[in-house]
């Protein structure tokens, strides 16, 4: 297990991102990578030796943008409710949930850089968001709603989270997922609430 100093994480994030607004969520400001290819190559070529995880936090992925747009356009879905943003990455969906009036939003991600990315991005939007770096998969949540953008990116992750999402839904939580139609999305289990181009 590797430990990352918050100052090192912040320095890396600040050096490799700029402040911008995702195309589908212009009311949210985030520190994002300008060019995905350059940061991915830098991560692999220069930082693999120290075990830097892939920088998922540096991009506003399509499913997260759609989910954030949905929350901002339909605030009644989450107003006054307790929300957990699972695999938060940059914190985009958590920020949108807070802006839409959720009573409490907790951002969760196991990537050690996400804590710093979420703190920086929340501050850009005048927010402070609680962050949890524990892996919650399989356990209960102290929440009314779980939001998850872009979590069906590979077979292993889909196999891991799908039964957990099923259990949370059976226990009465609302599970909202944003996904661009990846092959591992369990399409037979979802109801489409909105589509974005």
């Amino acid at each position: 297990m590797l430990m990352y100093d918050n100052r090192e994480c912040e320095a890396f994030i600040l050096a490799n991102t700029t402040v911008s607004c995702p195309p589908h969520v212009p009311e949210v400001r985030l520190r994002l990578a300008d060019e995905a290819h350059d940061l991915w190559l830098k991560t692999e070529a220069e930082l693999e030796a120290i075990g830097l995880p892939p920088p998922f936090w540096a991009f506003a992925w399509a499913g997260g943008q759609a989910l954030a747009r949905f929350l901002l356009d339909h605030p009644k879905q989450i107003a006054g409710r307790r929300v957990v943003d699972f695999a938060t990455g940059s914190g985009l969906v958590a920020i949108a949930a807070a802006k839409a009036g959720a009573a409490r939003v907790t951002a969760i991600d196991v990537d050690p850089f996400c804590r710093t990315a979420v703190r920086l991005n929340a501050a850009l939007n005048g927010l402070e968001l609680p962050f949890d770096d524990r892996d919650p998969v399989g356990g209960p949540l102290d929440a009314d709603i779980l939001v998850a953008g872009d979590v069906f990116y590979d077979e292993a992750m889909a196999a891991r989270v799908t039964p957990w999402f099923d259990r949370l839904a059976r226990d009465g939580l609302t599970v909202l997922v944003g996904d661009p139609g990846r092959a591992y999305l369990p399409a037979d289990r979802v109801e489409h609430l909105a589509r974005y181009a």
Side-chain angles (χ1 to χ4, degrees):
M1 178 173 177
L2 296 170
M3 292 296 292
Y4 293 94
D5 180 281
N6 286 335
R7 290 169 297 178
E8 292 173 343
C9 292
E10 183 168 329
F12 182 81
I13 291 168
L14 293 175
N16 289 283
T17 62
T18 58
V19 176
S20 60
C21 299
H24 293 290
V25 198
E27 55 268 77
V28 175
R29 299 174 70 218
L30 299 172
R31 292 207 65 88
L32 300 173
D34 282 333
E35 181 56 52
H37 184 68
D38 287 347
L39 186 55
W40 282 103
L41 286 180
K42 182 175 195 161
T43 299
E44 292 174 5
E46 297 176 36
L47 300 172
E48 184 176 347
I50 63 168
L52 178 74
F56 295 114
W57 50 264
F59 308 101
W61 300 95
Q65 286 192 59
L67 186 51
R69 180 78 270 147
F70 178 80
L71 296 178
L72 290 167
D73 289 347
H74 302 92
K76 289 182 180 178
Q77 292 277 339
I78 59 166
R81 300 180 77 190
R82 299 167 302 148
V83 176
V84 166
D85 180 15
F86 171 70
T88 192
S90 67
L92 169 60
V93 179
I95 291 165
K99 284 180 168 274
R104 184 185 81 214
V105 181
T106 303
I108 295 179
D109 206 301
V110 297
D111 181 334
F113 279 75
C114 288
R115 177 182 298 276
T116 303
V118 168
R119 177 178 53 77
L120 292 170
N121 289 330
L124 285 172
N125 293 278
L127 300 168
E128 288 185 26
L129 293 173
F131 185 88
D132 191 337
D133 61 2
R134 293 174 292 175
D135 184 350
V137 176
L141 288 177
D142 180 24
D144 304 306
I145 299 176
L146 173 105
V147 292
D150 298 285
V151 297
F152 295 104
Y153 55 85
D154 70 20
E155 187 174 13
M157 182 67 161
R160 193 165 178 257
V161 301
T162 299
W164 182 51
F165 288 179
D166 287 345
R167 189 171 335 114
L168 292 173
R170 281 194 307 271
D171 291 345
L173 268 76
T174 299
V175 178
L176 298 174
V177 172
D179 189 89
R182 289 186 179 91
Y184 301 110
L185 174 72
D188 60 329
R189 290 174 158 89
V190 299
E191 171 190 348
H192 290 274
L193 299 177
R195 292 180 188 267
Y196 300 93

